[in-house]
Amino acid sequence: MHEQTLAIHAGYEKDAQGTMAVPIYMSTAYEFRDTEHAANLFALKELGNIYTRLMNPTTDVFEKRFAALEGGVAAIGTASGMAAIFYAIANVAEAGDNIIVAKQVYGGTTTLTGHTIKRFGIETRYFDVRNPSEIEALVDDKTKIILFESITNPSIDVADFDAIVAIANKHNILTCVDNTVATPMLCKPLELGCDLSVHSASKYTTGQGLAIGGVIVERHNLVEKIKGNTRYSHFNEPDESYHGLVYSDLPLPLFTLRVRLALLRDLGAAPSPFNSWLYIQGLETLPLRMRQHSSSALAIAEFLEAHPKVGKVNYPGLKSDANYELGQKYFKGGHSGLLSFEVVDKETAQKIADGTDIFSLVVNIGDSKSIITHPASTTHQQLSAGELIEAGVPGGLVRLSVGLEDTQDLIDDLAKALG
Ligand SMILES: *Cc1c(COP(=O)(O)O)cnc(C)c1O
């Protein structure tokens, strides 16, 4: 089936009522038929519902639909994008291990990897996404995962998947891509050879800025890379917290299963069924929306590029952009609604951000409503001056998340703010 059909139908089988819309199963727990059924569910001899911290029928539809769109074998929903990223890391790394992360990542990912997980004894080693060959020198026996974004936010770089995946596979290390900005409609990291992807569902998935959520997607046959791989001994040895279960022996998608059985069980950042229902509504129109976000963003990027007060415009759809070739190679159907541009200094950037009417001054992306952000005073405020430059966020940088309003109205609004 084509993705526009999957976006509307995948993962849902109508119940006895014939309900056309996916029902919201607001229930904390589920009744077992008898004690044997209960014991079988806990022992994974049978799969079924136990408790909503672990699984929920509405969330299950969202997970199946998202996995189908991303081209993965399974997905697991989380309470936020940050929870998805943390769980992807915590599912493989423990005290004494290290992970390799692109310097150009979302602000929350920078603070998570640079500060918070350090307190858990996990070291982060950074590489420049514009120069993936830096990864090679960072790898050792304790390296557990390589994390990067398909389109970076807010520097708007496109990752060179082939180069990163080649180094990761040479050393048998898992790769995880934050595909939030691209969405499965424009880029499919798992089909480009990556092992895992993570998303903030808070962005294009809901599409209207309605709820916080996240998702991790696992590729088909990931067990091939993990089985017998000494880097991932905890997938190959008995899990004492789950009465001796060996994940790599199960005929099930092992990465997302371990997130569910160990991390959701113990850390509990599970999505609300109501939020999962909102993401399902969002996915139905995701293919249509991403086309409009992309074409409008390209028109705005072209307008900005021709404007005398604007310096550099970062958008991979522009022929002049340093990422144009990578964008053509790895993206299909557009380059999303996120772009950034530089003006002469911080004060000018603030004046523009304060001067728009349709673009709202908000720290979010992927909304139907257009958004303007000044990263240096908001999302990246906690970063030091050095970290700001490393993350590609100069003081005069303005970020736009182009929404679904009329394109000409958006251009007129920016023209007015630029003065
Ligand atoms: C927003 C965002 C996140 C974090 O997601 P939340 O749902 O806000 O926790 C992670 N990565 C990227 C690229 C994002 O834009």
Side-chain angles (χ1 to χ4, degrees):
M1 257 188 278
H2 293 90
E3 47 191 21
Q4 199 147 326
T5 308
L6 293 173
I8 292 174
H9 294 289
Y12 181 50
E13 281 166 35
K14 292 184 195 68
D15 60 15
Q17 318 295 334
T19 316
M20 280 294 280
V22 177
I24 308 172
Y25 288 93
M26 293 305 295
S27 181
T28 304
Y30 310 86
E31 188 183 18
F32 308 118
R33 287 193 302 274
D34 49 32
T35 50
E36 190 194 348
H37 178 218
N40 283 346
L41 291 181
F42 274 86
L44 296 178
K45 286 184 188 149
E46 246 182 272
L47 296 179
N49 297 320
I50 296 174
Y51 191 71
T52 282
R53 174 154 32 81
L54 299 172
M55 72 282 282
N56 172 276
T58 309
T59 300
D60 184 58
V61 175
F62 166 62
E63 292 169 342
K64 291 200 166 102
R65 192 166 295 183
F66 206 103
L69 290 172
E70 188 88 322
V73 66
I76 184 155
T78 56
S80 68
M82 288 318 302
I85 295 168
F86 175 62
Y87 285 2
I89 296 169
N91 209 27
V92 288
E94 59 189 31
D97 289 339
N98 65 76
I99 64 170
I100 297 177
V101 179
K103 281 174 189 162
Q104 298 87 346
V105 283
Y106 177 72
T109 309
T110 304
T111 46
L112 170 71
T113 56
H115 301 282
T116 302
I117 64 168
K118 204 197 272 180
R119 294 175 39 234
F120 294 17
I122 301 167
E123 180 201 341
T124 303
R125 301 174 176 178
Y126 292 100
F127 73 101
D128 188 335
V129 78
R130 296 166 189 164
N131 189 8
S133 62
E134 287 180 10
I135 296 172
E136 191 71 60
L138 304 175
V139 171
D140 67 18
D141 290 349
K142 293 284 185 188
T143 304
K144 294 299 163 90
I145 201 161
I146 300 173
L147 174 69
F148 58 101
E149 297 180 359
S150 43
I151 296 194
T152 65
N153 167 13
S155 64
I156 328 287
D157 287 301
V158 175
D160 188 345
F161 285 87
D162 288 351
I164 298 171
V165 168
I167 300 171
N169 287 349
K170 183 175 144 200
H171 297 281
N172 259 316
I173 302 170
L174 297 184
T175 44
C176 178
V177 183
D178 183 333
N179 200 31
T180 300
V181 175
T183 81
M185 288 11 287
L186 307 178
C187 178
K188 296 211 193 299
L190 307 183
E191 291 176 4
L192 295 170
C194 296
D195 300 309
L196 303 159
S197 66
V198 288
H199 291 253
S200 166
S202 327
K203 311 294 169 50
Y204 289 109
T205 303
T206 87
Q208 298 176 49
L210 299 176
I212 298 288
V215 62
I216 305 174
V217 192
E218 170 174 354
R219 75 161 162 94
H220 288 273
N221 299 323
L222 186 60
V223 67
E224 289 168 357
K225 194 167 183 177
I226 287 181
K227 181 108 181 154
N229 185 340
T230 48
R231 257 182 224 287
Y232 305 106
S233 50
H234 56 294
F235 278 96
N236 291 299
E237 289 164 2
D239 179 351
E240 281 166 31
S241 84
Y242 216 96
H243 40 68
L245 186 77
V246 178
Y247 285 94
S248 64
D249 285 346
L250 294 172
L252 294 166
L254 74 178
F255 193 93
T256 41
L257 185 73
R258 190 170 183 277
V259 170
R260 194 182 297 286
L261 297 186
L263 299 176
L264 277 186
R265 180 192 63 186
D266 301 344
L267 301 176
S272 151
F274 181 77
N275 288 358
S276 297
W277 179 81
L278 290 172
Y279 312 143
I280 292 166
Q281 309 318 304
L283 288 181
E284 290 198 359
T285 56
L286 188 66
L288 294 171
R289 286 187 286 110
M290 292 318 293
R291 284 201 280 278
Q292 176 64 24
H293 282 295
S294 299
S295 69
S296 206
L298 179 60
I300 289 171
E302 285 167 349
F303 158 77
L304 289 169
E305 190 169 46
H307 197 286
K309 288 197 183 155
V310 175
K312 198 165 160 240
V313 180
N314 303 304
Y315 190 67
L318 286 178
K319 288 220 167 66
S320 60
D321 191 86
N323 289 282
Y324 179 76
E325 298 295 333
L326 291 173
Q328 294 298 309
K329 185 169 176 191
Y330 299 121
F331 281 63
K332 289 205 170 53
H335 298 88
S336 192
L338 206 62
L339 61 96
S340 62
F341 62 96
E342 282 174 42
V343 289
V344 64
D345 55 20
K346 191 174 167 188
E347 289 66 38
T348 312
Q350 285 171 323
K351 208 168 135 255
I352 295 164
D354 288 334
T356 52
D357 291 327
I358 301 175
F359 281 88
S360 306
L361 186 61
V362 169
V363 285
N364 191 17
I365 60 165
D367 197 323
S368 53
K369 300 161 277 292
S370 288
I371 288 170
I372 191 163
T373 311
H374 181 230
S377 56
T378 54
T379 47
H380 287 64
Q381 194 200 75
Q382 277 89 17
L383 273 59
S384 68
E387 284 175 326
L388 278 178
I389 299 300
E390 294 279 84
V393 187
L397 189 79
V398 177
R399 187 187 72 189
L400 302 180
S401 170
V402 176
L404 300 176
E405 302 93 338
D406 180 84
T407 310
Q408 192 57 49
D409 286 345
L410 294 175
I411 289 174
D412 292 347
D413 196 35
L414 289 168
K416 187 192 62 126
L418 280 157

